[in-house]
């Protein structure tokens, strides 16, 4: 699959939530590199990792792309049933920053490093400010930050207020103001564009819109040929 992605023109191999397959991914990565794989590996993660896993990935990963969802154990317990998430994620992210210092090409574009993502939740701006303050204190100048506005309740699911709605313009503006106040400038900011057309539909064989993705392999096909 890695080699096929390269042949199809992918800019990187983006391993999304791959932790439970970590040993197999590393084995496959090493085998593919021996057969000519040259594009980088991006470890796209919830942040819920162990430091040991980060150390296993260190020789192979060009970019760590973790979430830092929240530093509030109660919020982590509500959403993930994992009140220990803040401790685990911050320990793992600090290990990622140590393992993969930020590097740039002559044009200033990052070629290796860590990009920490955070999704702003409606009605929980204090939780976002805590995440921004932690990043400013621990990772400013060592990693990049991506502030995301795309929180979208899944249609048909019942959630308690305020999680039953998307972000308001006022909430998003307040999050942007906190980002500026804390001096976090190196990274990315989403536009506030409410909508559900980008959501994957996993009842379909091709869950993502054809405008957003192109399928190169499906599990029903069995092992792909190189």
């Amino acid at each position: 699959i890695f080699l096929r992605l390269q042949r199809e023109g992918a800019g990187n191999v983006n391993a999304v939530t791959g932790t439970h397959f970590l040993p197999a991914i590393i084995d496959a990565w090493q085998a593919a590199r021996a057969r000519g794989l040259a594009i980088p590996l991006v470890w796209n993660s919830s942040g819920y990792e162990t430091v040991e896993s980060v150390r296993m990935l260190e020789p192979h990963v060009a970019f760590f792309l973790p979430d830092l969802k929240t530093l509030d154990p109660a919020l982590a317990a509500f959403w993930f049933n994992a009140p220990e998430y803040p401790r685990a994620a911050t320990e793992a992210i600090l290990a990622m920053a140590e393992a993969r210092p930020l590097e740039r090409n002559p044009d200033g574009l990052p070629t290796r490093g860590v990009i920490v993502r955070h999704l702003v939740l409606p009605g929980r701006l204090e939780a976002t400010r805590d995440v921004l303050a932690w990043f400013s204190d621990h990772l400013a100048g060592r990693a990049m930050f991506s502030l995301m506005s795309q929180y979208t309740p899944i249609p048909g699911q019942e959630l308690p207020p305020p999680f039953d709605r998307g972000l308001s313009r006022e909430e998003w503006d307040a999050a942007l103001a906190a980002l500026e106040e804390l001096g976090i400038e190196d990274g990315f900011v989403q536009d506030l564009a409410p909508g559900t057309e980008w959501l994957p539909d996993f009842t379909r064989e091709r869950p993502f819109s054809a405008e957003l993705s192109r399928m190169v392999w499906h599990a029903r096909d069995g092992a792909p040929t190189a």
Side-chain angles (χ1 to χ4, degrees):
I1 295 172
F2 296 162
L3 290 165
R4 183 177 290 189
L5 285 169
Q6 179 170 268
R7 288 201 315 273
E8 294 289 335
N12 58 68
V13 172
N14 197 314
V16 183
T17 318
T19 305
H20 47 309
F21 297 113
L22 190 152
I25 289 174
I26 290 176
D27 288 347
W29 181 256
Q30 292 175 317
R33 297 286 286 184
R35 294 169 58 183
L37 183 68
I39 57 177
L41 176 61
V42 176
W43 194 255
N44 187 333
S45 158
S46 69
Y48 194 46
E49 306 276 6
T50 65
V51 172
E52 180 185 15
S53 295
V54 174
R55 299 294 180 229
M56 291 174 64
L57 288 162
E58 181 176 352
H60 313 290
V61 170
F63 279 98
F64 286 100
L65 185 60
D67 292 331
L68 184 50
K69 298 178 183 293
T70 184
L71 296 176
D72 182 348
L75 203 56
F78 173 80
W79 280 111
F80 327 127
N81 195 29
E84 75 283 3
Y85 171 87
R87 175 197 54 77
T90 51
E91 289 179 359
I93 291 170
L94 289 173
M96 293 174 189
E98 179 184 340
R100 192 59 66 236
L102 191 60
E103 298 179 15
R104 301 177 186 273
N105 65 18
D107 295 325
L109 296 175
T111 55
R112 292 161 72 86
V114 179
I115 303 173
V116 178
R117 297 170 302 196
H118 174 70
L119 178 65
V120 182
L121 297 176
R124 291 294 184 271
L125 287 175
E126 72 285 353
T128 288
R129 175 174 268 283
D130 288 345
V131 167
L132 293 174
W134 182 90
F135 181 91
S136 180
D137 289 343
H138 294 86
L139 291 177
R142 301 174 57 203
M144 303 178 75
F145 195 86
S146 177
L147 190 67
M148 302 190 300
S149 63
Q150 67 191 44
Y151 176 82
T152 306
I154 303 300
Q157 289 194 344
E158 293 187 7
L159 290 169
F163 303 130
D164 57 348
R165 61 172 177 83
L167 289 180
S168 68
R169 169 54 64 182
E170 292 75 17
E171 288 171 323
W172 183 236
D173 287 345
L176 294 177
L179 191 73
E180 182 175 359
E181 178 189 337
L182 289 162
I184 301 172
E185 299 179 346
D186 196 1
F188 310 90
V189 172
Q190 281 185 330
D191 292 327
L192 182 62
T196 59
E197 63 277 359
W198 56 271
L199 288 173
D201 179 356
F202 291 106
T203 65
R204 302 185 316 209
E205 181 179 68
R206 296 174 180 261
F208 290 92
S209 161
E211 297 178 359
L212 300 174
S213 66
R214 179 160 52 91
M215 186 178 293
V216 299
W217 177 78
H218 193 283
R220 62 142 195 273
D221 300 329
T225 57

